[in-house]
Amino acid sequence: MTIITFTIILFFGAIAAGTLGSLTGLGGGVVIIPLLTLGFGVDIKYAVGTALVTSIATSSGAAAAYIKEGMTNVRIGMFLEIATTLGAVLGALLAVFLPTSAIYIILGFTLIFSSVMTLRKKNASIDYTAPGSKLATTLKLNGTYPTPDGIKKYNVRNIGAGFSLMTIAGVLSGILGIGSGALKVLAMDTAMKIPFKVSTTTSNFMVGVTAAASAVIYFQRGQIDPFLAMPIVVGVLFGAFLGSKILMAINVQLLRKIFSLVIAILAIQMIYRGLEPSLIKWFPDINFPKL
């Protein structure tokens, strides 16, 4: 395969990843890493570095629009970025010592978790105006967001639990190169009782900063390849724009179910890829299929 052909395939694969990521809320990284590792045999640490650069680009593009609409809570995002940034740096440093097989397994289980989170039903019975925590009031984290019925107020709760989950999300982002958006939304939507739309848009705002923190370490280690990153970043940005245009014309719930199934299948393949060396060692007489 020539370099030009490889670049074209990456570009169109990135468009598909960006489109699906935009429509489902999972981001393009969950498709880009399996595409590079399972499809083209790229070393997973280079795939992670590429996905981090992609996350920075896509987050930066979408975050500006959400902030303009008044949906993103910038104060919450900046506060929780302390946790995710520290976690991302720690994760990127830990990735040096983790064997490739362990990264495959961790990524596989994280993709399964993201797939399940995509299908979960949103809790519509939460009273977002209930009294929040004193720390949230002190830090001025409570806010408002626009709805079809006008501007509504919400109060933030369980700051400690949210901060802890954000640290874990940052560690996973640093190790795996994905935005860990599902875990970030879980922290804000479920633990901190922030409205779902505010959670998702604030998570998107945070993803770029989290990725940038760990991308610096991957760049210093030489694990960000410009020839991989360039067509993928452009393709994912184009795909995200395309996804936003077709969002209202399709059945998003059906797409989420299909995409979650595909992600679950890819996750199983990633886990198998990670377990393969051990399986061959433990059962030398069995001819395991190669992925």
Side-chain angles (χ1 to χ4, degrees):
M1 183 185 300
T2 65
I3 294 178
I4 294 178
T5 303
F6 179 63
T7 301
I8 292 173
I9 294 174
L10 282 183
F11 176 71
F12 283 103
I15 291 177
T19 303
L20 291 172
S22 173
L23 292 172
T24 59
L26 285 180
V30 297
V31 177
I32 290 299
I33 295 179
L35 173 68
L36 292 175
T37 55
L38 299 177
F40 296 104
V42 175
D43 184 282
I44 191 168
K45 293 186 178 180
Y46 283 88
V48 167
T50 301
L52 286 170
V53 175
T54 303
S55 296
I56 296 170
T58 53
S59 173
S60 300
Y66 291 137
I67 291 174
K68 185 178 180 180
E69 292 172 3
M71 194 71 71
T72 302
N73 189 317
V74 177
R75 291 188 71 90
I76 290 178
M78 295 302 293
F79 171 70
L80 295 178
E81 273 301 344
I82 299 172
T84 58
T85 301
L86 290 174
V89 173
L90 177 60
L93 293 174
L94 286 175
V96 178
F97 304 101
L98 287 175
T100 300
S101 58
I103 296 177
Y104 272 114
I105 294 171
I106 295 171
L107 177 59
F109 281 109
T110 303
L111 290 180
I112 290 175
F113 173 76
S114 299
S115 176
V116 172
M117 286 293 295
T118 301
L119 296 177
R120 75 187 181 101
K121 293 183 178 180
K122 311 301 182 294
N123 191 343
S125 63
I126 297 177
D127 180 11
Y128 294 113
T129 61
S133 67
K134 292 182 179 179
L135 183 58
T137 302
T138 302
L139 296 175
K140 299 180 180 179
L141 300 182
N142 302 322
T144 59
Y145 69 108
T147 71
D149 300 321
I151 301 296
K152 291 190 176 182
K153 182 181 178 181
Y154 59 89
N155 295 316
V156 182
R157 290 164 259 181
N158 303 321
I159 302 297
F163 198 87
S164 300
L165 285 172
M166 284 297 175
T167 304
I168 298 173
V171 171
L172 290 176
S173 177
I175 294 175
L176 306 176
I178 61 178
S180 301
L183 190 56
K184 289 178 180 177
V185 171
L186 176 67
M188 287 186 280
D189 179 45
T190 305
M192 300 174 72
K193 308 304 180 185
I194 299 173
F196 183 73
K197 288 185 178 180
V198 178
S199 299
T200 53
T201 54
T202 304
S203 171
N204 187 283
F205 167 74
M206 296 168 62
V207 162
V209 181
T210 306
S214 47
V216 171
I217 297 175
Y218 278 86
F219 181 77
Q220 290 177 337
R221 292 204 299 259
Q223 291 175 337
I224 295 180
D225 187 341
F227 291 102
L228 282 177
M230 182 188 68
I232 289 177
V233 167
V234 176
V236 168
L237 283 173
F238 184 80
F241 175 78
L242 181 63
S244 66
K245 293 297 182 183
I246 64 176
L247 182 63
M248 303 304 296
I250 62 173
N251 187 334
V252 178
Q253 291 302 318
L254 176 62
L255 179 66
R256 284 178 184 269
K257 292 177 182 179
I258 297 173
F259 188 56
S260 294
L261 176 62
V262 173
I263 289 299
I265 294 172
L266 290 174
I268 292 171
Q269 290 182 301
M270 301 294 277
I271 294 171
Y272 176 77
R273 175 71 68 87
L275 293 174
E276 188 178 9
S278 297
L279 292 174
I280 293 174
K281 181 179 178 180
W282 294 337
F283 307 100
D285 297 330
I286 299 178
N287 185 22
F288 291 99
K290 293 285 185 180
L291 289 181

